[in-house]
Amino acid sequence: MSEPTKVVVAGVNKPGATPNSVSLKTFYSDMLLIRRFEERAGQLYGMGLIGGFCHLYIGQEAVVVGMQANVAPQDQVITAYRDHGHMLACGMDPKGVMAELTGRSTGYSKGNGGSMHMFSSEKHFFGGHGIVGAQIPLGTGLAFADKYRNTGGVTLTYLGDGAANQGQVYESFNMAELWKLPVVYIIENNQYAMGTSVDRSSAQPQFFKRGASFNIPGEEVDGMDVEAVHAAGRKAIEYCRSGNGPMILEMKTYRYRGHSMSDPAKYRTREEVQTVREKRDPIEHLGQKLVSRGIATEDELKAIDKDIRLVVNTAAEFAIESPEPDLSELFTDVVA
Amino acid sequence: MSTQILMPALSPTMEEGKLAKWLVKEGDAVKSGDILAEIETDKATMEFEAVDEGRIGKILVPEGTEGVKVNAPIAVLVGDGEDASAPVKAKSAPAEAAPVATKAAAAPVAQAASIKLEDPSLPEGTEFVTMTVREALRDAMAEEMRRDDTIFLMGEEVAQYHGAYKVSQGLLEEFGDKRVIDTPITEQGFAGLGVGAAFNGLKPIIEFMTWNFAMQAIDQIINSAAKTRYMSGGQMHSPIVFRGPNGPAARVGAQHSQDYSSWYAHVPGLKVISPYFAADAKALLKAAIRDPNPVVFLENEIVYGRSFPVPKIDDYVLPIGKARVVKPGKDVTLVAHSICVGLILEAAEALAKEGIDAELIDLRTLRPLDTDTVIESVKKPNRIVTVEQGWPICSIGSEIASQVVEKAFDWLDAPPTKVNGKDVPMPYAANLEKLALPTVDDVVAAVKAVCYRA
Ligand SMILES: Cc1ncc(C[n+]2csc(CCOP(=O)(O)OP(=O)(O)O)c2C)c(N)n1
Ligand SMILES: [Mg+2]
């Protein structure tokens, strides 16, 4: 299969302070790349080519695309297991991500990690963590090192609404404010932790207030609106980069698919999901804006979709055709 | 351009499923995200969504069909031709992909029929019912909760979702939300809360969604639960059960595939149980709930779905700390617990074909370890092989080898030998994962080595 004509790698064209028409189109294609990639990943899972747990990011695309558009080359990113979108938005190659999902030697972790455990030191992406809550102290530590080494870097630490109840989150908040660490905590509130809705798990469901007792400022953001995310992210990152300490952003978002591929999702109605899809979909929403503002035509949007499908197909074929790791690799990289 | 819609794999352990219901009919236009069908997997009924746009050309598998293999074509989607991107065609899926991914799940249910439950405490003529380990565990909890209203079950997704692995099915409905409690994701918090509640008159059953996540809580299990009776000079104690699936499942990677058997077996003040058969799961979980000590109860996700006979008696409870000779034999002693009991049963069949008669021991309890039964056994064939999924260093096998050398040195005709999971974090790739776990071939090779057979 031939390479697509346009380069469609997310996160490469960094918009300026106020996104112009070019960067809005980039947001659109970055979000669509994640959507199409995830749909294909779901399909490969259905075919038995991806195994284990596979958590899709469909519905939440605006969060990571809007945030990552603000990062500088020295910044760091870390998240949990729902990480495919974050990797694409960091500019990681869809081929390498898909190949890791299928457990091939050409994957980002050479087949050792899988969906939940992927990394790229080149793109400053520190994973991909399967233990709920563990990435929050780690992200705080990345920020500690940046302050220590005076790099000017800021760390974007992503976590879920469920993860926000782990004790280590608050241990991290305290240290981050105490030592004024440059870390933005992005709470992706998709309203569910597996089958538990926020109101069944959280005494304080307004997560942006969770830093209040540590004097960490927080802001609630419409996580389905990429422009709103981008604007809030820009302010937060500037705040942290200027040495003010950490900041919390609560992104109100929604996951369309089950928690993982094996979740029957009986804890919410089909109508609830359908309503969000129809009324708040971040990609549809931006597409309509692009057309109504005269930035793109329907045909251009279709052409973008076509290009992206080609990229995703190329990634899938690469992932399927790549060899499994050599058996001699079993003991490689255990210790240095 | 038309594409086949294939039967999807909808869980890490699914090989086939039932096409319960079609939600579209021939001729319907579908777009990405539309629900096409409901499919029953080994665990649940799932909705199957369309990925590509098009029209349903033909339905190949009618609704209600059971046993539809993963990757079998179930319908044909006709495209409108404007989309140049052909979905990955059915042919590009290597036929062996699905079985590789789910091989570990293949339950040797047939073999279970040949196992006799030689429990001398059972009255003559006891009837048996066949049930899954999952059901046996649920029944144990339900029976104990009926007897004693100080018992409650707490954990992530245990109530409304009926457990991430469906072990607590029906318990919320029977016992209500005072006694079956969904927690936030705060393992250290609710494990500690459970220990406190146990200090103060209750009998908590704390479910960890898997034991991997109990590492968040291990301080409360060891420092608070296991040591308080001793530290308080016997004044205070915690009758609490910590339970959940332990060990690797299928393809879930390094952070979700770990065997904690030897970790907890190391700790004074704890009891540690890790059964294989449904009857033991039931009787020992009941014993664990009644025990006045903190008990770590290690289950196994793949074993949940296996079916075995369970004695049909009102209150079946077994003593903690007793291993069981599953099958007598004269050439070698094979020792295992949990899922590896299934493995040594398979290995014994393979060995029998080569004329080697293995005695099989299911440890059932890891602390206190029933070394007497192991030592008695090893004195006959004079050789022993231990089998477990945990890492080899400081493993259950290491402990058994040490005990055997200490207590039966003069009887040994060969060095005690261990078969373990490989000494690496669990890889994700299907081929490496397979290599990392003990196999029948590994067991056969180890047995031949101790028997000095080529
Ligand atoms: C310490 C720990 N406990 C439990 C789990 C099992 N688990 C995986 S994801 C999840 C829900 C997390 O929800 P949330 O933080 O809201 O993230 P989302 O899945 O919505 O992205 C749970 C309970 C885990 N992986 N780690
Ligand atoms: Mg969530």
Side-chain angles (χ1 to χ4, degrees):
Chain A
M1 186 171 279
S2 64
E3 286 294 324
T5 42
K6 281 186 219 158
V7 184
V8 195
V9 174
V12 279
N13 305 320
K14 298 276 176 251
T18 315
N20 57 22
S21 55
V22 177
S23 52
L24 283 177
K25 267 202 254 182
T26 310
F27 286 162
Y28 184 81
S29 65
D30 285 1
M31 289 196 291
L32 199 59
L33 173 64
I34 296 175
R35 173 84 42 106
R36 297 286 176 249
F37 183 93
E38 293 290 65
E39 286 169 351
R40 181 50 43 94
Q43 207 178 36
L44 295 192
Y45 191 96
M47 295 164 79
L49 287 160
I50 297 174
F53 291 134
C54 181
H55 308 85
L56 303 182
Y57 196 63
I58 296 177
Q60 302 181 212
E61 297 91 344
V63 175
V64 82
V65 167
M67 284 305 301
Q68 291 304 126
N70 291 299
V71 304
Q74 72 272 29
D75 294 343
Q76 330 294 343
V77 181
I78 191 165
T79 188
Y81 46 82
R82 196 178 300 287
D83 55 357
H84 312 164
H86 299 71
M87 294 186 280
L88 297 177
C90 284
M92 286 166 68
D93 183 350
K95 292 208 288 276
V97 179
M98 199 67 99
E100 187 62 33
L101 294 180
T102 54
R104 306 304 163 104
S105 60
T106 51
Y108 268 99
S109 298
K110 302 176 191 155
N112 279 358
S115 164
M116 299 190 285
H117 317 111
M118 251 187 267
F119 309 81
S120 166
S121 44
E122 184 204 343
K123 300 290 180 190
H124 296 214
F125 180 74
F126 287 84
H129 295 269
I131 300 301
V132 169
Q135 80 277 19
I136 297 123
L138 297 175
T140 310
L142 295 171
F144 180 89
D146 274 330
K147 181 163 185 194
Y148 188 102
R149 296 192 295 133
N150 227 342
T151 62
V154 171
T155 300
L156 303 196
T157 301
Y158 292 86
L159 60 145
D161 49 282
N165 291 321
Q166 284 286 37
Q168 35 187 328
V169 174
Y170 301 92
E171 300 177 18
S172 300
F173 283 1
N174 186 41
M175 290 186 285
E177 178 63 26
L178 186 64
W179 299 324
K180 300 283 181 211
L181 304 180
V183 48
V184 188
Y185 298 105
I186 302 132
I187 303 179
E188 299 196 54
N189 179 0
N190 60 11
Q191 302 176 44
Y192 294 91
M194 219 171 246
T196 306
S197 60
V198 164
D199 57 323
R200 294 206 302 117
S201 69
S202 297
Q204 166 54 284
Q206 290 182 297
F207 292 100
F208 68 96
K209 293 184 180 166
R210 292 275 184 110
S213 60
F214 305 95
N215 301 323
I216 303 176
E219 195 181 320
E220 186 181 44
V221 184
D222 179 357
M224 305 301 267
D225 177 350
V226 69
E227 288 183 278
V229 173
H230 179 258
R234 185 165 56 86
K235 272 200 315 201
I237 290 172
E238 259 168 33
Y239 174 88
C240 294
R241 211 184 297 285
S242 320
N244 295 305
M247 179 152 179
I248 296 170
L249 295 177
E250 177 186 351
M251 300 289 172
K252 297 304 264 292
T253 182
Y254 200 76
R255 86 171 138 69
Y256 295 177
R257 295 294 188 95
H259 167 73
S260 66
M261 293 302 298
S262 45
D263 171 16
K266 291 286 182 279
Y267 44 83
R268 59 183 188 187
T269 61
R270 204 177 280 171
E271 290 69 49
E272 179 184 312
V273 184
Q274 242 4 75
T275 308
V276 180
R277 278 189 140 143
E278 277 158 24
K279 303 230 164 86
R280 294 179 62 207
D281 186 78
I283 300 175
E284 284 285 308
H285 200 221
L286 182 61
Q288 282 160 13
K289 272 198 219 166
L290 292 179
V291 174
S292 69
R293 291 186 202 165
I295 297 171
T297 62
E298 293 279 1
D299 283 346
E300 276 178 82
L301 297 187
K302 278 200 176 141
I304 292 175
D305 192 20
K306 201 167 162 178
D307 278 348
I308 283 171
R309 282 179 187 269
L310 205 53
V311 172
V312 169
N313 280 338
T314 310
E317 303 223 338
F318 176 79
I320 293 168
E321 278 154 21
S322 291
E324 289 191 303
D326 195 86
L327 292 181
S328 66
E329 294 292 314
L330 183 63
F331 290 93
T332 308
D333 291 328
V334 179
V335 285
Chain B
M1 177 200 70
S2 68
T3 347
Q4 288 180 334
I5 299 174
L6 306 178
M7 182 72 170
L10 294 168
S11 88
T13 48
M14 172 175 171
E15 291 184 336
E16 57 175 46
K18 174 176 175 182
L19 210 164
K21 192 167 173 208
W22 277 110
L23 297 171
V24 290
K25 49 186 189 324
E26 289 177 4
D28 282 1
V30 295
K31 59 178 194 326
S32 159
D34 287 353
I35 317 280
L36 298 178
E38 283 178 6
I39 287 170
E40 275 175 40
T41 72
D42 48 347
K43 289 203 199 86
T45 302
M46 306 274 301
E47 291 174 344
F48 174 37
E49 290 183 9
V51 175
D52 294 293
E53 276 186 10
R55 208 161 33 75
I56 300 294
K58 189 155 181 54
I59 285 176
L60 303 171
V61 175
E63 66 181 30
T65 311
E66 310 229 14
V68 184
K69 290 267 179 289
V70 165
N71 274 335
I74 55 175
V76 177
L77 188 73
V78 226
D80 45 10
E82 66 153 68
D83 183 358
S85 62
V88 179
K89 286 162 228 71
K91 65 167 170 48
S92 49
E96 73 284 358
V100 167
T102 55
K103 192 152 187 208
V109 177
Q111 121 202 335
S114 63
I115 306 301
K116 292 279 174 291
L117 280 167
E118 299 157 37
D119 181 350
S121 70
L122 288 179
E124 195 80 22
T126 301
E127 274 184 62
F128 287 84
V129 281
T130 298
M131 64 169 76
T132 62
V133 171
R134 175 182 282 120
E135 291 162 338
L137 292 166
R138 191 264 323 274
D139 286 359
M141 288 192 282
E143 287 177 17
E144 292 306 296
M145 289 177 79
R146 279 174 211 136
R147 284 179 74 238
D148 179 350
D149 65 11
T150 64
I151 300 168
F152 68 92
L153 171 66
M154 178 178 268
E156 292 158 20
E157 309 288 352
V158 298
Q160 294 194 12
Y161 202 82
H162 295 133
Y165 300 100
K166 301 289 174 240
V167 174
S168 47
Q169 198 95 45
L171 296 186
L172 173 67
E173 290 71 12
E174 180 173 352
F175 300 103
D177 60 8
K178 181 181 174 192
R179 299 182 66 195
V180 183
I181 305 160
D182 279 327
T183 63
I185 309 172
T186 50
E187 286 84 4
Q188 182 166 32
F190 65 75
L193 183 153
V195 178
F199 287 164
N200 196 17
L202 300 184
K203 292 193 185 129
I205 304 171
I206 300 295
E207 174 175 308
F208 292 114
M209 192 175 281
T210 79
W211 276 95
N212 302 290
F213 314 142
M215 275 208 283
Q216 300 286 318
I218 197 166
D219 179 69
Q220 293 290 3
I221 300 171
I222 295 176
N223 270 326
S224 306
K227 297 178 182 172
T228 297
R229 182 189 295 277
Y230 190 80
M231 295 189 299
S232 68
Q235 297 178 73
M236 222 168 267
H237 67 287
S238 49
I240 185 169
V241 176
F242 299 104
R243 51 156 288 273
N246 174 54
R251 305 290 307 282
V252 289
Q255 294 185 327
H256 284 64
S257 311
Q258 198 167 317
D259 179 357
Y260 291 90
S261 302
S262 71
W263 291 53
Y264 292 105
H266 187 64
V267 183
L270 292 180
K271 292 189 177 178
V272 183
I273 300 172
S274 188
Y276 176 64
F277 296 105
D280 295 332
K282 183 174 180 192
L284 287 169
L285 182 54
K286 282 164 70 83
I289 295 169
R290 292 181 198 184
D291 198 274
N293 301 290
V295 180
V296 163
F297 200 90
L298 304 171
E299 301 158 9
N300 184 283
E301 186 192 332
I302 290 164
V303 172
Y304 280 149
R306 296 190 183 172
S307 293
F308 301 106
V310 174
K312 209 173 158 184
I313 28 182
D314 274 350
D315 197 20
Y316 185 49
V317 186
L318 285 172
I320 296 171
K322 292 269 174 268
R324 187 161 70 89
V325 178
V326 177
K327 173 192 157 318
K330 57 179 182 12
D331 297 326
V332 62
T333 297
L334 283 176
V335 182
H337 64 278
S338 189
I339 191 168
C340 285
V341 174
L343 193 69
I344 60 172
L345 279 159
E346 278 183 65
E349 280 174 28
L351 289 165
K353 289 192 189 116
E354 308 207 26
I356 298 175
D357 182 19
E359 175 146 314
L360 307 183
I361 296 181
D362 174 0
L363 290 171
R364 302 195 290 191
T365 299
L366 303 175
R367 184 184 188 97
L369 194 61
D370 184 1
T371 33
D372 289 352
T373 299
V374 176
I375 300 290
E376 264 330 289
S377 168
V378 85
K379 285 179 179 174
K380 289 176 292 174
N382 316 107
R383 8 186 143 243
I384 181 166
V385 173
T386 58
V387 185
E388 70 195 299
Q389 289 185 325
W391 290 312
I393 313 296
C394 302
S395 62
I396 298 294
S398 305
E399 176 60 22
I400 289 176
S402 138
Q403 299 268 356
V404 165
V405 168
E406 213 174 297
K407 296 180 178 145
F409 187 74
D410 290 338
W411 276 270
L412 290 175
D413 285 344
T417 296
K418 303 185 295 184
V419 174
N420 285 77
K422 300 290 190 306
D423 199 15
V424 296
M426 184 62 74
Y428 166 73
N431 62 338
L432 295 185
E433 185 187 59
K434 213 168 140 214
L435 192 64
L437 288 168
T439 61
V440 169
D441 289 347
D442 294 339
V443 178
V444 169
V447 167
K448 284 187 174 167
V450 297
C451 293
Y452 306 112
R453 299 251 206 128

